[in-house]
Amino acid sequence: MDLGVEGMWKRAQELMPGGVNSPVRSFRSVGGKPFFVDRGQGPFLFDTEGRRYIDYVLSWGALILGHAHASVVEALNRQVRLGTSYGTPTPGEVELAERLVRMVPSVDMVRLVNSGTEATMSALRLARAVTNREYVLKFSGGYHGHSDSFLVSSGSGVATLSLPDSPGVPKSTAALTLVLPFNNIDLLRELFKNNGSQISSVFVEPVMGNSGLILPEEGFLDELRALTTEHGSLLVFDEVMTGFRVARGGAEERFGVKPDLVTLGKVIGGGLPVGAFGGSRELMEKIAPAGDVYQAGTLSGNPLATAAGNAQLAYLQENDPFADLESAAKNLSSGIVEILKGGGISAWGTSVGSMWGIFFTDSPVRSFEEAKATDQENFTKFHKACLRKGVFFAPSAFEAGFVSTEHTEEIIDETLEVVRVVVSEGW
Ligand code: KE4
């Protein structure tokens, strides 16, 4: 029964909360309603009415090779005929673990899970167990999935006990999470001076990709490393988004700061559900059944997901596309900012590896607080105008943009031409 897009959207909202299975897809942040996708190919999405979009969301960063890459499709075709999940050890998960250990400098041992949320939730349990401490520090605007301890917002003052950021999160849980502004070394030093001995771990997106794109200022990650070492807290890099995107070995390779644990997701699944957390053998052997910190998952490391993840990572290992990805993201973000400014619109942009971001403001954005002060109305108009002309940017000012190996110079040029037209037509 063909419901048509209107009918499909109506039915979706009757069947699923907000019509979606993850809030950001609902377009509520930019207004209007989402399109339904029929298929993806390379840098493109095609909606159910046949419209083509150049896609800069790329399944929120997972598809670094673009949509339906031949190597991923081939690996899935091969595996699916052999079964989708066995609930037993498989060669594919050994291969994926091997690749992660080889590509991520701080990882000697890894546990595969099904999402970034599971990865960070499990890494926090491990950090609390090995330090025998309950407090955890995160940064405002940092997103680490939706487990209770991370769904908190900073209290009234800075680093006061946090408040739940969602109904259903117990106050007692939220109170164990401390929140500081990103890139503020003074407040970091003060917190550790006063409470360092109580902090199990610090979870940080080493490059913030859930507040728009915000880079760490010189010395910030080094200071985080020094303070956590001094006070016996674990430093956890949440690289679910930055992994394999800001560099081949992630942010720890790019910035030369080695965390105690790292959480991964997105790229390592090639578009299928795979997350992971890893670190030294000493730490990871505390995880059941080697150790007594419990963690489990029916579909963790399943052969279909590891087939896609292995295919995508194998391509990255064998072709080393990182320089091209970096220049594509840089050309895109600087090109957009130049066009906007040429049209008299305040804009500031940045990129790192294959991630990029723009804010509608005329000064650098160094924290979530500053990101929130940028011009959201202009972002919304820009997003809608570009979407109408077939360019799909993330439907929220607080998301990072991505590029893939399929975003060639021609695709970037075509995108910048759309931005030129949108600015010249005015919104
Ligand atoms: P998932 O549970 O959504 O696989 O991963 C959670 C997560 C953890 N850590 C970081 C740094 C992340 O960016 C994410 C998920 N990112 C969002 C995009 N901002 C996923 C998109 C969505 O929520 O639908």
Side-chain angles (χ1 to χ4, degrees):
M1 173 184 57
D2 177 8
L3 292 173
V5 174
E6 291 301 323
M8 177 104 74
W9 181 232
K10 183 171 176 299
R11 194 72 187 119
Q13 294 176 86
E14 290 162 359
L15 294 168
M16 297 169 282
V20 292
N21 289 302
S22 200
V24 71
R25 303 180 196 167
S26 65
F27 276 39
R28 286 191 179 202
S29 168
V30 291
K33 50 181 179 296
F35 52 92
F36 283 79
V37 170
D38 173 53
R39 64 188 176 90
Q41 187 57 50
F44 305 119
L45 285 175
F46 296 87
D47 72 16
T48 47
E49 296 182 303
R51 274 187 291 268
R52 188 201 80 165
Y53 303 89
I54 301 176
D55 179 18
Y56 287 97
V57 177
L58 293 163
S59 185
W60 305 95
L63 302 178
I64 198 165
L65 305 184
H67 293 279
H69 191 274
S71 60
V72 175
V73 172
E74 201 183 292
L76 287 169
N77 276 337
R78 199 167 43 246
Q79 175 56 44
V80 74
R81 290 182 179 78
L82 306 174
T84 53
S85 185
Y86 314 126
T88 67
T90 60
E93 56 197 318
V94 175
E95 182 188 339
L96 186 54
E98 190 75 68
R99 290 185 195 283
L100 296 178
V101 166
R102 202 169 294 156
M103 294 178 83
V104 185
S106 65
V107 173
D108 296 332
M109 183 175 270
V110 66
R111 168 58 58 89
L112 301 179
V113 296
N114 300 280
S115 68
T117 294
E118 274 188 78
T120 56
M121 177 179 72
S122 311
L124 176 54
R125 184 178 307 133
L126 175 59
R128 283 171 163 157
V130 301
T131 59
N132 196 23
R133 300 174 184 176
E134 294 192 343
Y135 286 94
V136 54
L137 169 64
K138 71 176 286 287
F139 296 92
S140 42
Y143 178 67
H144 305 292
H146 63 87
S147 65
D148 284 354
S149 292
F150 294 117
L151 285 187
V152 302
S153 56
S154 31
S156 49
V158 167
T160 53
L161 299 190
S162 303
L163 306 169
D165 209 10
S166 160
V169 173
K171 284 194 178 63
S172 56
T173 302
L176 294 172
T177 304
L178 305 170
V179 184
L180 283 180
F182 191 61
N183 276 328
N184 190 316
I185 287 186
D186 293 343
L187 291 176
L188 198 56
R189 285 179 179 148
E190 187 186 340
L191 177 68
F192 269 95
K193 185 159 69 63
N194 300 332
N195 306 89
S197 63
Q198 296 171 282
I199 296 173
S200 68
S201 48
V202 179
F203 277 67
V204 63
E205 289 183 63
V207 172
M208 295 252 279
N210 288 285
S211 301
L213 187 72
I214 301 176
L215 271 60
E217 294 202 321
E218 185 66 34
F220 180 68
L221 297 176
D222 301 280
E223 186 69 16
L224 256 182
R225 178 65 281 176
L227 287 167
T228 46
T229 302
E230 181 188 345
H231 293 272
S233 310
L234 297 192
L235 176 57
V236 185
F237 274 8
D238 179 355
E239 296 223 46
V240 167
M241 191 187 277
T242 56
F244 311 97
R245 281 215 167 262
V246 300
R248 186 178 182 280
E252 62 177 85
E253 178 183 284
R254 185 160 193 121
F255 298 104
V257 174
K258 186 173 179 180
D260 297 298
L261 290 173
V262 62
T263 53
L264 299 164
K266 297 180 193 278
V267 166
I268 68 172
L272 269 68
V274 181
F277 62 103
S280 68
R281 186 178 308 284
E282 183 196 3
L283 278 178
M284 291 303 293
E285 284 192 330
K286 305 285 185 190
I287 294 288
D292 55 3
V293 180
Y294 198 69
Q295 193 283 328
T298 303
L299 298 176
S300 298
N302 85 68
L304 205 54
T306 55
N310 277 315
Q312 182 148 274
L313 290 185
Y315 184 95
L316 296 179
Q317 286 174 297
E318 291 151 20
N319 296 279
D320 193 8
F322 295 96
D324 291 346
L325 286 163
E326 179 120 19
S327 57
K330 189 175 178 58
N331 294 340
L332 179 70
S333 58
S334 56
I336 292 175
V337 169
E338 189 185 331
I339 296 166
L340 289 171
K341 284 183 166 175
I345 299 159
S346 297
W348 182 78
T350 187
S351 69
V352 54
S354 56
M355 295 172 70
W356 60 275
I358 53 161
F359 288 104
F360 285 84
T361 180
D362 46 19
S363 48
V365 175
R366 297 156 309 161
S367 69
F368 183 51
E369 290 70 20
E370 292 178 2
K372 283 191 288 187
T374 62
D375 187 333
Q376 309 301 315
E377 195 186 331
N378 252 349
F379 171 82
T380 298
K381 291 174 180 171
F382 176 71
H383 179 272
K384 278 180 185 302
C386 292
L387 190 64
R388 276 195 296 273
K389 294 197 184 302
V391 172
F392 178 38
F393 294 132
S396 161
F398 303 122
E399 292 289 349
F402 303 96
V403 292
S404 79
T405 52
E406 303 298 300
H407 286 73
T408 59
E409 270 181 52
E410 292 72 28
I411 294 291
I412 301 298
D413 289 346
E414 184 180 341
T415 307
L416 293 177
E417 187 49 33
V418 164
V419 174
R420 262 184 218 98
V421 170
V422 157
V423 170
S424 66
E425 288 177 353
W427 47 57

